[in-house]
Amino acid sequence: MTKKRGLIVFSIILTILTSNPVLSVNVFFDGFESGNITGWILTNAIDASNWTISSGNPYSGVYHIEARPRENTEPASVIKKVISTFDYDNISVSYYRRLINLDSNDEFSSYFYDGLSWILLEQTGSNSEDDNNYLIKSFNLNNNATNNTDFQIKFECTANSNNEYCRIDNVNISGILITTTSTTTTSSTATTTTTTATIGQVQGLTATVSGNSVNLSWQAVSAS
């Protein structure tokens, strides 16, 4: 009977693991609908205009951010933000961007900071760019972005003329919560059978059997 009960418990565990995928959640989102860029850090080259909040042609809502540096010193206009990814794994970055009239002398680029160095996400380089509409850009980051209190995101725009500019909207950082615990208690007379396994994002499974009832607790961890 004990062996049969153990097999039933393990079958239930496998069913839970395969039917409940670990979902990504928002760590940070800014659609700039507050009408300001409070919390973002701005820097610029001498004589360059910096990123500003704007209501002219957002991807969605009312506002977006825009840079018209009118300067070719790279990087002319920079906007960045510290966003802790503490307790999150599988970090990804996405944003909508529209680049207008950028020629070979101009450049747009984006980066993330892993605590030691800036890592390039996207760079137009010497390529011309003139978007008719917003384009979504998405990136899955390496393990250096995981559980990182020093994580940052940065956008740079270098453009020399007033009709050359960069627009950004709906910046999103997402990830999977590293540690979550779900525990169900039963009566003090319950018989406890413990099965430990590592499958996907779950480790340390405990099954408590009481009569015909089975209660499970587990801990989600980062997949190696």
Side-chain angles (χ1 to χ4, degrees), residues 21-186:
V22 180
L23 300 179
S24 183
V25 297
N26 282 351
V27 178
F28 169 83
F29 176 83
D30 199 342
F32 307 102
E33 293 306 297
S34 63
N36 62 66
I37 44 180
T38 301
W40 290 83
I41 301 168
L42 305 175
T43 57
N44 58 286
I46 296 174
D47 298 328
S49 298
N50 221 321
W51 291 83
T52 61
I53 198 80
S54 174
S55 60
N57 187 233
Y59 169 74
S60 64
V62 177
Y63 296 104
H64 64 289
I65 56 172
E66 178 178 288
R68 300 193 190 205
R70 298 189 275 285
E71 175 60 53
N72 268 351
T73 302
E74 294 185 17
S77 300
V78 180
I79 185 168
K80 63 182 179 180
K81 187 173 179 62
V82 179
I83 305 162
S84 173
T85 62
F86 178 74
D87 239 6
Y88 288 93
D89 192 6
N90 294 345
I91 304 300
S92 62
V93 173
S94 68
Y95 54 85
Y96 288 82
R97 58 94 157 153
R98 187 179 181 192
L99 309 178
I100 309 297
N101 294 325
L102 298 193
D103 56 36
S104 59
N105 295 318
D106 307 319
E107 185 174 86
F108 169 82
S109 55
S110 60
Y111 301 82
F112 81 91
Y113 185 68
D114 66 1
L116 295 174
S117 59
W118 288 100
I119 299 174
L120 183 68
L121 296 174
E122 177 190 11
Q123 187 175 54
T124 59
S126 59
N127 297 321
S128 299
E129 191 84 28
D130 190 13
D131 302 325
N132 292 325
N133 300 292
Y134 277 88
L135 303 177
I136 185 171
K137 297 293 179 176
S138 301
F139 308 90
N140 294 320
L141 308 188
N142 61 35
N143 290 335
N144 292 338
T146 295
N147 202 30
N148 190 339
T149 57
D150 294 325
F151 179 85
Q152 299 180 50
I153 186 76
K154 177 172 70 171
F155 303 102
E156 297 179 352
C157 182
T158 301
N160 165 5
S161 301
N162 188 51
N163 67 339
E164 300 170 339
Y165 46 94
C166 309
R167 287 173 170 166
I168 296 288
D169 206 354
N170 288 9
V171 178
N172 187 60
I173 314 296
S174 60
I176 294 174
L177 191 61
I178 291 175
T179 304
T180 57
T181 303
S182 175
T183 303
T184 304
T185 59
T186 60

